[in-house]
């Protein structure tokens, strides 16, 4: 019920002036977030937040904090396990360096590409009220989407950097977009809307943040 209540707050459209500009004029700070676990220990993790300048993608701020994850892992509810630590990182930044507050967050995970349309990027976006984009390395198999031969064929069709195809489920709705983010890697990224951004803008922004396969805010 908590997930459904928060889900009602998701805005799937551009809300900022910089999003409407072809070159994102007015965008100066992009945040990247990730929670990574110690190998072999699913309770100890490092919650990381970096803020990069845009478009130069230089590190302006970094924060990493070792945390103990106590909530159990339940499929479809990962955000309840991880998001509190990411929200705390954003709050620490706002207290310590308010002038470096990011204008958009890229998070390692999914947004609308989720069994109930409310992945970690949506959850984080609604709780921080910041534009948020989900960037996943693997396809979450929901709404009939599968890593089948058709999907492999679509991946092969991504010939060059910037090529995309929509992740359209059996519902007929595009849940996200697969993006070939680098000429040096044929593995796509799976991008989905988190909050206060439309899918087209999300894909354009992620693409503009990639020097390698993983966008720089998350890679850093």
């Amino acid at each position: 019920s908590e997930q459904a209540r928060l889900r009602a707050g998701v805005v799937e459209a551009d809300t900022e002036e910089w999003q409407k500009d072809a070159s994102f004029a007015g965008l100066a700070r992009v945040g990247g977030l990730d929670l990574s676990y110690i190998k072999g220990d699913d309770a100890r993790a490092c919650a990381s937040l970096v803020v990069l300048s845009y478009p130069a993608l230089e590190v302006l701020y970094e924060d990493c904090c070792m945390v103990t994850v106590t909530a159990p892992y339940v499929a479809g509810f990962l955000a309840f396990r991880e998001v509190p630590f990411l929200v705390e990182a954003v709050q620490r930044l706002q207290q310590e360096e308010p002038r470096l507050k990011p204008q958009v967050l890229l998070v390692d995970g999914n947004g609308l590409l989720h069994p109930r349309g409310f992945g970690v990027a949506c959850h984080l976006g609604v709780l921080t009220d910041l534009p948020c984009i989900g960037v996943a390395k693997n396809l979450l198999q929901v709404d009939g989407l599968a890593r089948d031969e058709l999907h492999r064929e679509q991946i092969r069709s991504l010939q060059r950097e910037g090529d995309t195809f929509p992740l359209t489920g059996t519902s007929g709705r595009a849940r996200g977009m697969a993006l070939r983010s680098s000429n040096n890697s044929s593995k796509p990224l799976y991008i989905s809307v988190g909050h206060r951004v439309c899918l087209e803008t999300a894909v354009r922004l992620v693409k503009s943040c990639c020097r390698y396969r993983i966008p720089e805010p998350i890679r850093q």
Side-chain angles (χ1 to χ4, degrees):
S1 67
E2 172 75 352
Q3 194 177 56
R5 184 183 70 77
L6 292 169
R7 169 73 183 89
V10 171
V11 176
E12 300 176 34
D14 291 341
T15 60
E16 311 303 297
E17 280 305 310
W18 60 262
Q19 293 167 331
K20 301 177 176 81
D21 185 274
S23 61
F24 296 128
L27 177 62
R29 296 172 307 284
V30 180
L33 290 130
D34 192 13
L35 193 88
S36 40
Y37 293 87
I38 291 175
K39 260 202 172 97
D41 185 347
D42 63 358
R44 297 277 294 148
C46 182
S48 305
L49 163 66
V50 297
V51 180
L52 270 55
S53 65
Y54 189 90
L57 303 177
E58 289 167 351
V59 177
L60 302 174
Y61 173 93
E62 47 192 7
D63 172 30
C64 56
C65 183
M66 292 305 297
V67 298
T68 303
V69 181
T70 53
Y73 171 72
V74 182
F77 296 95
L78 179 68
F80 287 96
R81 184 171 153 84
E82 299 189 347
V83 160
F85 303 110
L86 302 179
V87 170
E88 280 172 15
V90 174
Q91 288 170 341
R92 267 197 305 278
L93 163 63
Q94 288 175 331
Q95 284 160 6
E96 293 166 14
E97 295 277 4
R99 64 189 180 84
L100 294 180
K101 178 181 173 182
Q103 293 159 276
V104 59
L105 298 172
L106 270 55
V107 62
D108 186 354
N110 292 292
L112 296 178
L113 184 59
H114 177 271
R116 282 171 303 284
F118 194 73
V120 65
C122 297
H123 207 125
L124 183 69
V126 170
L127 291 182
T128 60
D129 198 32
L130 288 168
C132 200
I133 298 167
V135 183
K137 296 185 284 288
N138 299 299
L139 176 68
L140 191 61
Q141 303 189 59
V142 298
D143 191 17
L145 293 166
R147 289 192 291 262
D148 54 13
E149 186 48 43
L150 168 65
H151 187 70
R152 286 189 286 273
E153 203 176 295
Q154 288 175 311
I155 290 172
R156 286 193 289 272
S157 77
L158 303 177
Q159 292 293 305
R160 62 185 71 82
E161 194 176 289
D163 285 355
T164 61
F165 64 83
L167 300 165
T168 306
T170 49
S171 65
R173 184 178 175 207
R175 296 296 192 116
M177 194 76 80
L179 164 72
R180 178 163 181 167
S181 55
S182 167
N183 282 329
N184 297 323
S185 175
S186 59
K187 290 180 179 175
L189 295 173
Y190 298 98
I191 296 160
S192 55
V193 167
H195 185 52
R196 291 177 59 179
V197 65
C198 75
L199 184 57
E200 183 195 354
T201 300
V203 172
R204 275 201 307 127
L205 180 65
V206 170
K207 195 163 67 176
S208 74
C209 288
C210 288
R211 288 176 177 159
Y212 307 97
R213 181 192 173 210
I214 306 298
E216 213 57 16
I218 293 175
R219 198 178 78 86
Q220 290 291 345

